[in-house]
Amino acid sequence: MSIEFSDTREKMGDTLRRTIASIEGETVTLRQLMGAMGEQGLLLLCILLCVPFLIPVSIPGVSTVFGAAIILISLAIMLNRMPWLPSKISERHIETEKLIPALRKGVDLIARLDRFVRPRLSAVTGTALVNRLNGAAILYGGILLMFPLGLIPFSNTLPGVAILLVATGMLQRDGVMVIAGYAFLAATTAYFTALAYAAYSAGQGLSGFFV
């Protein structure tokens, strides 16, 4: 079944608030979140999954589950097919006591972003080919998001912002947002490279100390 990325007239902040308000119980699964999104589409789901990473709150297991879901959704975008999510991801229970406050704080940031989003630079979002490339960018961001670096500052925030901007740009036909998302992906890559180099240098120093 093919998918269509139709424009939505509802502001992203309002859609996400409505989705959060529908969450009930002590835990929630990704499948329940997908159901709450209704027909708003995969791109809005990507945006929702990025929200917890916009604020400095650590929720155990979220980066792995949400990152894997984003990767599968991005593959669906690239292949123009509805995504298949394994039960280990779609049925993973996440505590609403920790998730909902994080989502609410993040949605306030999304609502501010709404004021700057508008259709522009259609060449970056207007064809199937560029949207497949944008889907590949979301895939790359999802991989970065899953890196086990949760205790390191900005290691989840940078790729989360990148995915959010690319998905927002695709949804609202805003090429400027997509380009900004690519810039955040480049910044994340540079940051992770610097972390890897620092870890390598520290390891070399320790090995020299014990020789």
Side-chain angles (χ1 to χ4, degrees):
M1 180 178 178
S2 62
I3 53 179
E4 297 290 339
F5 302 123
S6 57
D7 299 326
T8 175
R9 295 182 179 179
E10 186 176 27
K11 291 184 178 181
M12 292 182 294
D14 293 338
T15 302
L16 296 178
R17 287 192 187 96
R18 174 171 52 78
T19 300
I20 293 168
S22 70
I23 298 175
E24 298 178 347
E26 295 182 357
T27 63
V28 65
T29 66
L30 183 58
R31 184 179 300 279
Q32 289 172 321
L33 288 177
M34 292 179 68
M37 294 300 297
E39 299 180 352
Q40 291 297 332
L42 299 178
L43 294 172
L44 270 174
L45 180 57
C46 274
I47 293 169
L48 178 66
L49 296 179
C50 289
V51 167
F53 309 112
L54 303 183
I55 58 177
V57 175
S58 178
I59 306 175
V62 165
S63 63
T64 301
V65 176
F66 284 12
I70 288 170
I71 288 173
L72 292 173
I73 290 170
S74 67
L75 288 173
I77 292 172
M78 294 170 63
L79 298 174
N80 196 34
R81 292 289 185 271
M82 291 300 294
W84 170 80
L85 298 178
S87 59
K88 287 185 178 180
I89 295 176
S90 62
E91 301 298 337
R92 174 76 174 269
H93 287 266
I94 300 171
E95 294 181 18
T96 55
E97 182 181 2
K98 296 180 180 179
L99 179 62
I100 290 179
L103 290 176
R104 284 175 176 163
K105 290 180 181 178
V107 165
D108 290 338
L109 299 176
I110 297 294
R112 296 174 189 171
L113 183 64
D114 275 332
R115 295 180 294 176
F116 302 99
V117 178
R118 62 182 183 275
R120 49 190 168 178
L121 294 182
S122 59
V124 184
T125 62
T127 67
L129 176 59
V130 296
N131 280 329
R132 284 187 171 88
L133 292 175
N134 294 336
I138 294 175
L139 169 65
Y140 179 55
I143 293 172
L144 294 176
L145 192 61
M146 290 188 69
F147 276 25
L149 302 173
L151 297 178
I152 298 177
F154 307 114
S155 60
N156 286 336
T157 302
L158 287 174
V161 170
I163 296 167
L164 183 146
L165 291 174
V166 174
T168 297
M170 293 178 67
L171 182 68
Q172 304 288 354
R173 302 296 188 265
D174 190 340
V176 171
M177 288 292 167
V178 172
I179 293 172
Y182 276 85
F184 267 91
L185 282 176
T188 305
T189 302
Y191 183 50
F192 282 18
T193 301
L195 290 175
Y197 179 76
Y200 173 78
S201 298
Q204 290 292 99
L206 287 174
S207 62
F209 177 79
F210 290 105
V211 172

